[in-house]
Short mmCIF file of all heavy atoms in Angstrom, two decimals:
data_model
loop_
_atom_site.label_atom_id
_atom_site.label_comp_id
_atom_site.label_asym_id
_atom_site.label_seq_id
_atom_site.Cartn_x
_atom_site.Cartn_y
_atom_site.Cartn_z
N MET A 1 -5.25 -13.16 10.91
CA MET A 1 -4.33 -12.41 10.07
C MET A 1 -5.00 -12.10 8.73
O MET A 1 -5.77 -12.91 8.23
CB MET A 1 -3.07 -13.21 9.80
CG MET A 1 -2.23 -13.55 11.02
SD MET A 1 -1.28 -12.16 11.62
CE MET A 1 0.03 -12.12 10.44
N ILE A 2 -4.69 -10.95 8.20
CA ILE A 2 -5.14 -10.62 6.85
C ILE A 2 -3.94 -10.14 6.03
O ILE A 2 -2.92 -9.72 6.57
CB ILE A 2 -6.26 -9.56 6.82
CG1 ILE A 2 -5.80 -8.21 7.39
CG2 ILE A 2 -7.50 -10.06 7.53
CD1 ILE A 2 -6.81 -7.10 7.21
N LYS A 3 -4.14 -10.24 4.73
CA LYS A 3 -3.14 -9.75 3.78
C LYS A 3 -3.81 -8.68 2.93
O LYS A 3 -4.91 -8.89 2.41
CB LYS A 3 -2.65 -10.88 2.89
CG LYS A 3 -1.73 -10.42 1.77
CD LYS A 3 -1.19 -11.58 0.95
CE LYS A 3 -2.20 -11.98 -0.09
NZ LYS A 3 -1.66 -12.94 -1.07
N ALA A 4 -3.17 -7.53 2.81
CA ALA A 4 -3.68 -6.46 1.95
C ALA A 4 -2.65 -6.21 0.86
O ALA A 4 -1.48 -5.96 1.14
CB ALA A 4 -3.91 -5.19 2.76
N GLU A 5 -3.10 -6.32 -0.38
CA GLU A 5 -2.25 -6.02 -1.52
C GLU A 5 -2.80 -4.77 -2.17
O GLU A 5 -3.99 -4.66 -2.41
CB GLU A 5 -2.25 -7.17 -2.52
CG GLU A 5 -1.38 -6.92 -3.73
CD GLU A 5 -1.39 -8.08 -4.71
OE1 GLU A 5 -2.15 -9.04 -4.52
OE2 GLU A 5 -0.63 -8.00 -5.68
N PHE A 6 -1.93 -3.80 -2.45
CA PHE A 6 -2.40 -2.56 -3.04
C PHE A 6 -1.50 -2.11 -4.18
O PHE A 6 -0.30 -2.35 -4.17
CB PHE A 6 -2.54 -1.46 -1.98
CG PHE A 6 -1.25 -1.07 -1.31
CD1 PHE A 6 -0.58 0.07 -1.70
CD2 PHE A 6 -0.72 -1.84 -0.29
CE1 PHE A 6 0.61 0.43 -1.08
CE2 PHE A 6 0.46 -1.48 0.33
CZ PHE A 6 1.13 -0.34 -0.06
N THR A 7 -2.14 -1.50 -5.17
CA THR A 7 -1.44 -0.94 -6.32
C THR A 7 -1.88 0.52 -6.43
O THR A 7 -3.07 0.82 -6.34
CB THR A 7 -1.81 -1.70 -7.61
OG1 THR A 7 -1.54 -3.09 -7.42
CG2 THR A 7 -1.02 -1.19 -8.80
N ILE A 8 -0.90 1.37 -6.62
CA ILE A 8 -1.18 2.81 -6.68
C ILE A 8 -0.83 3.33 -8.07
O ILE A 8 0.24 3.04 -8.59
CB ILE A 8 -0.37 3.55 -5.59
CG1 ILE A 8 -0.73 3.00 -4.21
CG2 ILE A 8 -0.62 5.06 -5.68
CD1 ILE A 8 0.13 3.53 -3.09
N TYR A 9 -1.75 4.10 -8.64
CA TYR A 9 -1.58 4.65 -9.99
C TYR A 9 -1.46 6.16 -9.92
O TYR A 9 -1.97 6.75 -8.98
CB TYR A 9 -2.81 4.30 -10.85
CG TYR A 9 -2.97 2.83 -11.10
CD1 TYR A 9 -3.67 2.03 -10.21
CD2 TYR A 9 -2.43 2.24 -12.22
CE1 TYR A 9 -3.83 0.68 -10.44
CE2 TYR A 9 -2.58 0.88 -12.47
CZ TYR A 9 -3.29 0.10 -11.57
OH TYR A 9 -3.45 -1.24 -11.80
N PRO A 10 -0.85 6.79 -10.91
CA PRO A 10 -0.37 6.22 -12.15
C PRO A 10 1.02 5.60 -11.98
O PRO A 10 1.77 5.98 -11.09
CB PRO A 10 -0.28 7.42 -13.10
CG PRO A 10 -0.04 8.59 -12.18
CD PRO A 10 -0.76 8.25 -10.90
N PHE A 11 1.30 4.61 -12.83
CA PHE A 11 2.64 4.02 -12.86
C PHE A 11 3.58 5.02 -13.50
O PHE A 11 3.23 5.69 -14.47
CB PHE A 11 2.67 2.74 -13.69
CG PHE A 11 2.01 1.57 -13.02
CD1 PHE A 11 1.02 0.86 -13.67
CD2 PHE A 11 2.38 1.16 -11.75
CE1 PHE A 11 0.41 -0.23 -13.08
CE2 PHE A 11 1.79 0.07 -11.15
CZ PHE A 11 0.80 -0.62 -11.80
N VAL A 12 4.77 5.11 -12.96
CA VAL A 12 5.79 5.98 -13.53
C VAL A 12 7.05 5.15 -13.67
O VAL A 12 7.54 4.59 -12.68
CB VAL A 12 6.07 7.20 -12.62
CG1 VAL A 12 7.20 8.04 -13.19
CG2 VAL A 12 4.81 8.03 -12.45
N GLU A 13 7.54 5.04 -14.89
CA GLU A 13 8.77 4.29 -15.11
C GLU A 13 9.96 5.12 -14.68
O GLU A 13 9.95 6.34 -14.76
CB GLU A 13 8.91 3.92 -16.59
CG GLU A 13 7.87 2.91 -17.04
CD GLU A 13 8.12 2.44 -18.45
OE1 GLU A 13 9.30 2.20 -18.79
OE2 GLU A 13 7.14 2.34 -19.20
N GLY A 14 10.97 4.44 -14.21
CA GLY A 14 12.18 5.13 -13.80
C GLY A 14 12.69 4.55 -12.50
O GLY A 14 12.23 3.51 -12.03
N MET A 15 13.63 5.24 -11.94
CA MET A 15 14.26 4.75 -10.72
C MET A 15 13.47 5.25 -9.51
O MET A 15 13.07 6.39 -9.45
CB MET A 15 15.70 5.23 -10.66
CG MET A 15 16.49 4.71 -11.84
SD MET A 15 18.27 4.67 -11.63
CE MET A 15 18.50 4.01 -10.03
N GLY A 16 13.26 4.35 -8.57
CA GLY A 16 12.58 4.72 -7.34
C GLY A 16 11.08 4.80 -7.50
O GLY A 16 10.54 4.70 -8.60
N PHE A 17 10.42 4.94 -6.38
CA PHE A 17 8.97 5.05 -6.37
C PHE A 17 8.55 6.51 -6.47
O PHE A 17 9.22 7.39 -5.92
CB PHE A 17 8.41 4.49 -5.06
CG PHE A 17 8.64 3.02 -4.88
CD1 PHE A 17 9.50 2.55 -3.91
CD2 PHE A 17 7.98 2.10 -5.68
CE1 PHE A 17 9.71 1.19 -3.73
CE2 PHE A 17 8.18 0.74 -5.52
CZ PHE A 17 9.05 0.29 -4.54
N PRO A 18 7.40 6.77 -7.12
CA PRO A 18 6.86 8.13 -7.08
C PRO A 18 6.53 8.50 -5.62
O PRO A 18 6.32 7.62 -4.78
CB PRO A 18 5.58 8.04 -7.91
CG PRO A 18 5.72 6.79 -8.72
CD PRO A 18 6.58 5.87 -7.92
N ASP A 19 6.44 9.77 -5.34
CA ASP A 19 6.15 10.23 -3.98
C ASP A 19 4.89 9.61 -3.42
O ASP A 19 4.83 9.25 -2.25
CB ASP A 19 6.02 11.76 -3.94
CG ASP A 19 7.36 12.45 -4.15
OD1 ASP A 19 8.41 11.79 -4.02
OD2 ASP A 19 7.34 13.67 -4.45
N TYR A 20 3.83 9.47 -4.23
CA TYR A 20 2.57 8.94 -3.73
C TYR A 20 2.66 7.47 -3.36
O TYR A 20 1.88 6.99 -2.54
CB TYR A 20 1.40 9.20 -4.69
CG TYR A 20 1.69 8.91 -6.15
CD1 TYR A 20 1.58 7.65 -6.66
CD2 TYR A 20 2.08 9.95 -7.00
CE1 TYR A 20 1.86 7.40 -8.00
CE2 TYR A 20 2.35 9.71 -8.32
CZ TYR A 20 2.23 8.43 -8.82
OH TYR A 20 2.50 8.18 -10.15
N VAL A 21 3.58 6.74 -3.92
CA VAL A 21 3.81 5.35 -3.51
C VAL A 21 4.66 5.34 -2.24
O VAL A 21 4.37 4.61 -1.29
CB VAL A 21 4.49 4.53 -4.63
CG1 VAL A 21 4.88 3.15 -4.13
CG2 VAL A 21 3.57 4.44 -5.84
N GLN A 22 5.67 6.17 -2.18
CA GLN A 22 6.55 6.19 -1.02
C GLN A 22 5.81 6.59 0.25
O GLN A 22 6.04 6.02 1.32
CB GLN A 22 7.74 7.12 -1.25
CG GLN A 22 8.79 7.03 -0.16
CD GLN A 22 9.37 5.62 -0.03
OE1 GLN A 22 9.89 5.08 -1.00
NE2 GLN A 22 9.27 5.03 1.16
N VAL A 23 4.90 7.56 0.17
CA VAL A 23 4.17 7.96 1.38
C VAL A 23 3.26 6.84 1.87
O VAL A 23 3.05 6.70 3.08
CB VAL A 23 3.38 9.28 1.20
CG1 VAL A 23 4.32 10.45 0.95
CG2 VAL A 23 2.31 9.18 0.15
N ALA A 24 2.74 6.03 0.95
CA ALA A 24 1.93 4.89 1.36
C ALA A 24 2.80 3.85 2.07
O ALA A 24 2.42 3.33 3.13
CB ALA A 24 1.24 4.26 0.15
N ILE A 25 3.96 3.57 1.52
CA ILE A 25 4.89 2.64 2.16
C ILE A 25 5.28 3.17 3.54
O ILE A 25 5.32 2.41 4.52
CB ILE A 25 6.12 2.43 1.27
CG1 ILE A 25 5.71 1.68 -0.01
CG2 ILE A 25 7.22 1.66 2.02
CD1 ILE A 25 6.78 1.68 -1.10
N ASP A 26 5.54 4.45 3.63
CA ASP A 26 5.90 5.06 4.92
C ASP A 26 4.77 4.92 5.93
O ASP A 26 5.02 4.70 7.13
CB ASP A 26 6.24 6.54 4.73
CG ASP A 26 7.52 6.75 3.93
OD1 ASP A 26 8.30 5.79 3.75
OD2 ASP A 26 7.72 7.89 3.46
N ALA A 27 3.51 5.03 5.49
CA ALA A 27 2.38 4.88 6.40
C ALA A 27 2.34 3.47 6.99
O ALA A 27 2.04 3.29 8.18
CB ALA A 27 1.06 5.20 5.68
N PHE A 28 2.65 2.47 6.19
CA PHE A 28 2.69 1.10 6.71
C PHE A 28 3.84 0.93 7.70
O PHE A 28 3.68 0.30 8.75
CB PHE A 28 2.80 0.09 5.58
CG PHE A 28 1.52 -0.08 4.83
CD1 PHE A 28 1.40 0.35 3.52
CD2 PHE A 28 0.41 -0.65 5.43
CE1 PHE A 28 0.22 0.21 2.82
CE2 PHE A 28 -0.79 -0.79 4.75
CZ PHE A 28 -0.88 -0.37 3.44
N THR A 29 4.98 1.50 7.38
CA THR A 29 6.14 1.41 8.27
C THR A 29 5.83 2.08 9.61
O THR A 29 6.13 1.52 10.67
CB THR A 29 7.37 2.06 7.61
OG1 THR A 29 7.63 1.39 6.38
CG2 THR A 29 8.59 1.95 8.51
N GLU A 30 5.21 3.25 9.56
CA GLU A 30 4.84 3.97 10.78
C GLU A 30 3.85 3.18 11.63
O GLU A 30 3.82 3.32 12.84
CB GLU A 30 4.28 5.34 10.44
CG GLU A 30 5.32 6.30 9.91
CD GLU A 30 4.73 7.58 9.36
OE1 GLU A 30 3.54 7.88 9.63
OE2 GLU A 30 5.46 8.29 8.64
N ALA A 31 3.04 2.34 10.99
CA ALA A 31 2.08 1.50 11.70
C ALA A 31 2.71 0.22 12.24
O ALA A 31 2.05 -0.61 12.84
CB ALA A 31 0.91 1.16 10.79
N GLY A 32 4.01 0.05 11.98
CA GLY A 32 4.71 -1.14 12.46
C GLY A 32 4.56 -2.34 11.56
O GLY A 32 4.84 -3.47 11.96
N LEU A 33 4.13 -2.11 10.32
CA LEU A 33 3.95 -3.20 9.36
C LEU A 33 5.02 -3.09 8.28
O LEU A 33 5.37 -1.99 7.86
CB LEU A 33 2.57 -3.13 8.70
CG LEU A 33 1.39 -3.24 9.67
CD1 LEU A 33 0.10 -2.89 8.95
CD2 LEU A 33 1.32 -4.63 10.26
N GLU A 34 5.50 -4.23 7.84
CA GLU A 34 6.51 -4.24 6.79
C GLU A 34 5.84 -4.51 5.44
O GLU A 34 5.18 -5.53 5.26
CB GLU A 34 7.56 -5.31 7.04
CG GLU A 34 8.67 -5.31 6.03
CD GLU A 34 9.75 -6.34 6.34
OE1 GLU A 34 9.86 -6.75 7.51
OE2 GLU A 34 10.45 -6.74 5.40
N ALA A 35 6.00 -3.59 4.52
CA ALA A 35 5.43 -3.77 3.18
C ALA A 35 6.39 -4.59 2.34
O ALA A 35 7.58 -4.30 2.28
CB ALA A 35 5.18 -2.41 2.52
N GLU A 36 5.86 -5.64 1.72
CA GLU A 36 6.63 -6.43 0.76
C GLU A 36 6.46 -5.72 -0.58
O GLU A 36 5.36 -5.60 -1.08
CB GLU A 36 6.10 -7.85 0.69
CG GLU A 36 6.17 -8.61 1.99
CD GLU A 36 5.39 -9.91 1.95
OE1 GLU A 36 5.18 -10.47 0.84
OE2 GLU A 36 4.99 -10.35 3.02
N LEU A 37 7.55 -5.27 -1.15
CA LEU A 37 7.49 -4.45 -2.36
C LEU A 37 7.68 -5.31 -3.59
O LEU A 37 8.65 -6.06 -3.70
CB LEU A 37 8.56 -3.37 -2.31
CG LEU A 37 8.57 -2.53 -1.03
CD1 LEU A 37 9.71 -1.53 -1.06
CD2 LEU A 37 7.24 -1.84 -0.83
N GLY A 38 6.73 -5.23 -4.52
CA GLY A 38 6.81 -5.94 -5.78
C GLY A 38 6.91 -4.95 -6.92
O GLY A 38 6.82 -3.73 -6.72
N PRO A 39 7.04 -5.44 -8.14
CA PRO A 39 7.18 -4.54 -9.28
C PRO A 39 5.90 -3.75 -9.60
O PRO A 39 5.97 -2.66 -10.14
CB PRO A 39 7.56 -5.47 -10.43
CG PRO A 39 7.09 -6.82 -10.01
CD PRO A 39 7.15 -6.84 -8.51
N LEU A 40 4.74 -4.32 -9.25
CA LEU A 40 3.48 -3.63 -9.56
C LEU A 40 2.61 -3.37 -8.35
O LEU A 40 1.61 -2.65 -8.45
CB LEU A 40 2.67 -4.44 -10.58
CG LEU A 40 3.36 -4.67 -11.92
CD1 LEU A 40 2.50 -5.56 -12.80
CD2 LEU A 40 3.66 -3.36 -12.62
N SER A 41 2.94 -3.96 -7.22
CA SER A 41 2.10 -3.79 -6.04
C SER A 41 2.92 -3.98 -4.77
O SER A 41 4.06 -4.42 -4.82
CB SER A 41 0.93 -4.77 -6.07
OG SER A 41 1.40 -6.10 -5.94
N GLN A 42 2.30 -3.64 -3.66
CA GLN A 42 2.88 -3.83 -2.35
C GLN A 42 1.92 -4.67 -1.52
O GLN A 42 0.71 -4.61 -1.72
CB GLN A 42 3.13 -2.48 -1.65
CG GLN A 42 4.13 -1.59 -2.35
CD GLN A 42 3.58 -0.91 -3.59
OE1 GLN A 42 2.43 -0.50 -3.62
NE2 GLN A 42 4.37 -0.82 -4.63
N THR A 43 2.46 -5.44 -0.58
CA THR A 43 1.65 -6.31 0.25
C THR A 43 2.04 -6.13 1.70
O THR A 43 3.22 -6.01 2.02
CB THR A 43 1.85 -7.79 -0.15
OG1 THR A 43 1.55 -7.94 -1.54
CG2 THR A 43 0.95 -8.71 0.65
N VAL A 44 1.05 -6.12 2.59
CA VAL A 44 1.30 -6.12 4.03
C VAL A 44 0.43 -7.18 4.67
O VAL A 44 -0.65 -7.52 4.16
CB VAL A 44 1.02 -4.75 4.69
CG1 VAL A 44 1.99 -3.70 4.22
CG2 VAL A 44 -0.40 -4.30 4.45
N ARG A 45 0.92 -7.73 5.78
CA ARG A 45 0.19 -8.75 6.52
C ARG A 45 0.17 -8.36 8.00
O ARG A 45 1.13 -7.77 8.49
CB ARG A 45 0.87 -10.11 6.38
CG ARG A 45 0.77 -10.71 5.03
CD ARG A 45 1.54 -12.05 4.98
NE ARG A 45 1.24 -12.77 3.77
CZ ARG A 45 1.79 -12.55 2.59
NH1 ARG A 45 2.69 -11.60 2.47
NH2 ARG A 45 1.46 -13.26 1.54
N GLY A 46 -0.91 -8.73 8.67
CA GLY A 46 -0.97 -8.47 10.11
C GLY A 46 -2.37 -8.67 10.64
O GLY A 46 -3.25 -9.22 9.96
N GLU A 47 -2.56 -8.23 11.86
CA GLU A 47 -3.87 -8.31 12.50
C GLU A 47 -4.83 -7.37 11.78
O GLU A 47 -4.43 -6.28 11.35
CB GLU A 47 -3.76 -7.94 13.97
CG GLU A 47 -2.93 -8.91 14.79
CD GLU A 47 -3.48 -10.32 14.76
OE1 GLU A 47 -4.71 -10.50 14.84
OE2 GLU A 47 -2.67 -11.26 14.65
N PRO A 48 -6.10 -7.79 11.65
CA PRO A 48 -7.05 -6.99 10.86
C PRO A 48 -7.12 -5.51 11.25
O PRO A 48 -7.06 -4.64 10.38
CB PRO A 48 -8.38 -7.69 11.11
CG PRO A 48 -8.00 -9.12 11.34
CD PRO A 48 -6.70 -9.04 12.11
N GLY A 49 -7.23 -5.20 12.52
CA GLY A 49 -7.34 -3.80 12.93
C GLY A 49 -6.15 -2.97 12.51
O GLY A 49 -6.30 -1.86 11.99
N ALA A 50 -4.96 -3.50 12.72
CA ALA A 50 -3.73 -2.77 12.37
C ALA A 50 -3.61 -2.59 10.87
O ALA A 50 -3.27 -1.50 10.40
CB ALA A 50 -2.51 -3.51 12.92
N VAL A 51 -3.89 -3.64 10.11
CA VAL A 51 -3.76 -3.55 8.65
C VAL A 51 -4.80 -2.59 8.08
O VAL A 51 -4.47 -1.74 7.25
CB VAL A 51 -3.87 -4.94 7.99
CG1 VAL A 51 -3.95 -4.82 6.47
CG2 VAL A 51 -2.67 -5.81 8.40
N LEU A 52 -6.03 -2.69 8.52
CA LEU A 52 -7.08 -1.83 7.97
C LEU A 52 -6.84 -0.36 8.30
O LEU A 52 -7.05 0.52 7.46
CB LEU A 52 -8.45 -2.28 8.47
CG LEU A 52 -8.88 -3.65 7.95
CD1 LEU A 52 -10.17 -4.10 8.63
CD2 LEU A 52 -9.04 -3.65 6.44
N GLU A 53 -6.37 -0.07 9.50
CA GLU A 53 -6.05 1.31 9.86
C GLU A 53 -4.88 1.82 9.02
O GLU A 53 -4.89 2.95 8.54
CB GLU A 53 -5.73 1.42 11.35
CG GLU A 53 -5.39 2.82 11.79
CD GLU A 53 -6.48 3.85 11.58
OE1 GLU A 53 -7.67 3.49 11.54
OE2 GLU A 53 -6.15 5.04 11.44
N ALA A 54 -3.87 0.98 8.82
CA ALA A 54 -2.72 1.37 8.01
C ALA A 54 -3.12 1.57 6.55
O ALA A 54 -2.62 2.47 5.89
CB ALA A 54 -1.61 0.33 8.14
N VAL A 55 -4.02 0.73 6.04
CA VAL A 55 -4.51 0.89 4.66
C VAL A 55 -5.21 2.24 4.50
O VAL A 55 -4.99 2.95 3.52
CB VAL A 55 -5.45 -0.28 4.27
CG1 VAL A 55 -6.26 0.06 3.04
CG2 VAL A 55 -4.65 -1.56 4.06
N ARG A 56 -6.01 2.60 5.49
CA ARG A 56 -6.69 3.90 5.44
C ARG A 56 -5.66 5.03 5.38
O ARG A 56 -5.74 5.93 4.53
CB ARG A 56 -7.61 4.10 6.64
CG ARG A 56 -8.38 5.42 6.60
CD ARG A 56 -8.96 5.81 7.95
NE ARG A 56 -7.94 5.94 8.97
CZ ARG A 56 -7.09 6.98 9.10
NH1 ARG A 56 -7.14 7.98 8.24
NH2 ARG A 56 -6.21 7.02 10.06
N ALA A 57 -4.69 4.98 6.28
CA ALA A 57 -3.66 6.04 6.32
C ALA A 57 -2.84 6.07 5.03
O ALA A 57 -2.55 7.15 4.50
CB ALA A 57 -2.75 5.82 7.53
N ALA A 58 -2.49 4.91 4.53
CA ALA A 58 -1.68 4.83 3.30
C ALA A 58 -2.46 5.37 2.10
O ALA A 58 -1.92 6.10 1.27
CB ALA A 58 -1.25 3.39 3.05
N THR A 59 -3.73 5.01 2.01
CA THR A 59 -4.56 5.46 0.90
C THR A 59 -4.74 6.98 0.94
O THR A 59 -4.61 7.66 -0.08
CB THR A 59 -5.92 4.75 0.93
OG1 THR A 59 -5.70 3.34 0.84
CG2 THR A 59 -6.81 5.18 -0.22
N GLU A 60 -5.04 7.51 2.12
CA GLU A 60 -5.20 8.95 2.25
C GLU A 60 -3.92 9.69 1.88
O GLU A 60 -3.95 10.70 1.17
CB GLU A 60 -5.63 9.31 3.67
CG GLU A 60 -7.06 8.95 3.98
CD GLU A 60 -7.46 9.29 5.40
OE1 GLU A 60 -6.59 9.71 6.21
OE2 GLU A 60 -8.65 9.13 5.72
N ALA A 61 -2.78 9.18 2.35
CA ALA A 61 -1.50 9.82 2.05
C ALA A 61 -1.20 9.77 0.56
O ALA A 61 -0.73 10.76 -0.02
CB ALA A 61 -0.38 9.14 2.84
N ALA A 62 -1.46 8.64 -0.08
CA ALA A 62 -1.19 8.50 -1.52
C ALA A 62 -2.05 9.47 -2.33
O ALA A 62 -1.55 10.15 -3.23
CB ALA A 62 -1.44 7.06 -1.96
N ILE A 63 -3.32 9.55 -2.01
CA ILE A 63 -4.23 10.45 -2.74
C ILE A 63 -3.83 11.91 -2.52
O ILE A 63 -3.80 12.71 -3.45
CB ILE A 63 -5.69 10.18 -2.34
CG1 ILE A 63 -6.12 8.81 -2.89
CG2 ILE A 63 -6.61 11.29 -2.84
CD1 ILE A 63 -7.44 8.32 -2.34
N ARG A 64 -3.51 12.23 -1.29
CA ARG A 64 -3.10 13.60 -0.97
C ARG A 64 -1.82 14.00 -1.72
O ARG A 64 -1.61 15.17 -2.03
CB ARG A 64 -2.88 13.69 0.55
CG ARG A 64 -2.78 15.05 1.11
CD ARG A 64 -2.75 15.09 2.64
NE ARG A 64 -1.85 14.11 3.25
CZ ARG A 64 -2.25 13.05 3.98
NH1 ARG A 64 -3.54 12.84 4.22
NH2 ARG A 64 -1.38 12.22 4.50
N THR A 65 -1.00 12.99 -2.07
CA THR A 65 0.29 13.27 -2.71
C THR A 65 0.25 13.12 -4.22
O THR A 65 1.26 13.27 -4.89
CB THR A 65 1.37 12.34 -2.09
OG1 THR A 65 1.27 12.42 -0.67
CG2 THR A 65 2.76 12.73 -2.47
N GLY A 66 -0.92 12.80 -4.79
CA GLY A 66 -1.03 12.79 -6.25
C GLY A 66 -1.49 11.50 -6.90
O GLY A 66 -1.61 11.45 -8.12
N ALA A 67 -1.76 10.46 -6.13
CA ALA A 67 -2.28 9.22 -6.72
C ALA A 67 -3.65 9.49 -7.32
O ALA A 67 -4.44 10.27 -6.78
CB ALA A 67 -2.38 8.12 -5.67
N THR A 68 -3.93 8.84 -8.43
CA THR A 68 -5.22 9.01 -9.09
C THR A 68 -6.10 7.77 -8.93
O THR A 68 -7.30 7.82 -9.23
CB THR A 68 -5.04 9.29 -10.59
OG1 THR A 68 -4.31 8.22 -11.18
CG2 THR A 68 -4.30 10.60 -10.79
N ARG A 69 -5.50 6.67 -8.47
CA ARG A 69 -6.26 5.43 -8.32
C ARG A 69 -5.49 4.52 -7.36
O ARG A 69 -4.27 4.41 -7.44
CB ARG A 69 -6.41 4.75 -9.67
CG ARG A 69 -7.17 3.46 -9.65
CD ARG A 69 -7.30 2.94 -11.07
NE ARG A 69 -8.01 1.68 -11.09
CZ ARG A 69 -7.94 0.82 -12.07
NH1 ARG A 69 -7.20 1.08 -13.14
NH2 ARG A 69 -8.61 -0.29 -12.02
N VAL A 70 -6.23 3.87 -6.46
CA VAL A 70 -5.63 2.88 -5.57
C VAL A 70 -6.50 1.63 -5.66
O VAL A 70 -7.70 1.69 -5.44
CB VAL A 70 -5.58 3.37 -4.11
CG1 VAL A 70 -5.03 2.29 -3.19
CG2 VAL A 70 -4.75 4.65 -4.00
N VAL A 71 -5.88 0.52 -6.04
CA VAL A 71 -6.59 -0.76 -6.13
C VAL A 71 -6.16 -1.59 -4.93
O VAL A 71 -4.96 -1.76 -4.68
CB VAL A 71 -6.27 -1.48 -7.45
CG1 VAL A 71 -6.93 -2.85 -7.50
CG2 VAL A 71 -6.68 -0.63 -8.63
N LEU A 72 -7.14 -2.13 -4.21
CA LEU A 72 -6.87 -2.83 -2.97
C LEU A 72 -7.54 -4.20 -2.98
O LEU A 72 -8.70 -4.33 -3.38
CB LEU A 72 -7.40 -1.99 -1.80
CG LEU A 72 -7.34 -2.58 -0.42
CD1 LEU A 72 -5.89 -2.78 0.02
CD2 LEU A 72 -8.08 -1.67 0.55
N ASN A 73 -6.81 -5.20 -2.54
CA ASN A 73 -7.34 -6.55 -2.38
C ASN A 73 -7.00 -7.02 -0.98
O ASN A 73 -5.84 -6.97 -0.56
CB ASN A 73 -6.72 -7.49 -3.42
CG ASN A 73 -7.26 -8.88 -3.33
OD1 ASN A 73 -8.47 -9.08 -3.30
ND2 ASN A 73 -6.37 -9.85 -3.25
N ILE A 74 -8.01 -7.45 -0.23
CA ILE A 74 -7.79 -7.93 1.14
C ILE A 74 -8.23 -9.39 1.21
O ILE A 74 -9.32 -9.75 0.77
CB ILE A 74 -8.57 -7.08 2.15
CG1 ILE A 74 -8.05 -5.65 2.13
CG2 ILE A 74 -8.45 -7.69 3.55
CD1 ILE A 74 -8.80 -4.71 3.03
N GLU A 75 -7.35 -10.22 1.77
CA GLU A 75 -7.63 -11.64 1.94
C GLU A 75 -7.42 -12.04 3.39
O GLU A 75 -6.49 -11.56 4.05
CB GLU A 75 -6.68 -12.49 1.09
CG GLU A 75 -6.83 -12.29 -0.41
CD GLU A 75 -5.85 -13.13 -1.18
OE1 GLU A 75 -5.53 -14.26 -0.75
OE2 GLU A 75 -5.40 -12.65 -2.24
N VAL A 76 -8.28 -12.92 3.87
CA VAL A 76 -8.12 -13.48 5.20
C VAL A 76 -7.17 -14.67 5.07
O VAL A 76 -7.35 -15.53 4.21
CB VAL A 76 -9.47 -13.96 5.78
CG1 VAL A 76 -9.27 -14.63 7.12
CG2 VAL A 76 -10.43 -12.78 5.89
N GLU A 77 -6.14 -14.68 5.92
CA GLU A 77 -5.19 -15.80 5.89
C GLU A 77 -5.46 -16.70 7.09
O GLU A 77 -5.77 -16.21 8.18
CB GLU A 77 -3.76 -15.27 5.94
CG GLU A 77 -3.40 -14.49 4.68
CD GLU A 77 -1.93 -14.17 4.60
OE1 GLU A 77 -1.31 -13.83 5.62
OE2 GLU A 77 -1.40 -14.28 3.48
N PRO A 78 -5.32 -17.99 6.86
CA PRO A 78 -5.58 -18.93 7.97
C PRO A 78 -4.57 -18.79 9.11
O PRO A 78 -3.50 -18.34 8.96
CB PRO A 78 -5.46 -20.30 7.32
CG PRO A 78 -4.92 -20.09 5.95
CD PRO A 78 -4.97 -18.64 5.64
#
């Protein structure tokens, strides 16, 4: 299992997520992964292949929708 934590910029204050964050969350959902939503980042856990493919799709969707920076941290979980 791996855990991927990602933060998408720019931050926008207000209600709801900006479109570029929502499309990334949607990409994880479409991959069958549940994103844990935090105030500054989102986290997903799963098998390496599934998580890495979903991270690619989420990152591409976020950038295509206006994200200017995506910070990603991947950890192997026991």
Side-chain angles (χ1 to χ4, degrees):
M1 297 284 283
I2 63 172
K3 173 177 83 170
E5 180 180 6
F6 63 100
T7 305
I8 301 172
Y9 295 88
F11 287 127
V12 176
E13 292 187 42
M15 300 201 44
F17 295 112
D19 290 344
Y20 45 84
V21 173
Q22 188 60 57
V23 295
I25 293 168
D26 293 345
F28 286 112
T29 302
E30 290 171 15
L33 300 169
E34 183 177 338
E36 299 169 24
L37 308 177
L40 300 176
S41 66
Q42 296 76 38
T43 304
V44 294
R45 290 178 168 81
E47 295 300 319
V51 171
L52 293 173
E53 180 60 26
V55 164
R56 182 197 59 76
T59 301
E60 287 179 354
I63 291 169
R64 194 173 45 247
T65 311
T68 58
R69 180 177 179 200
V70 177
V71 176
L72 175 65
N73 181 50
I74 297 177
E75 296 179 35
V76 176
E77 294 190 320

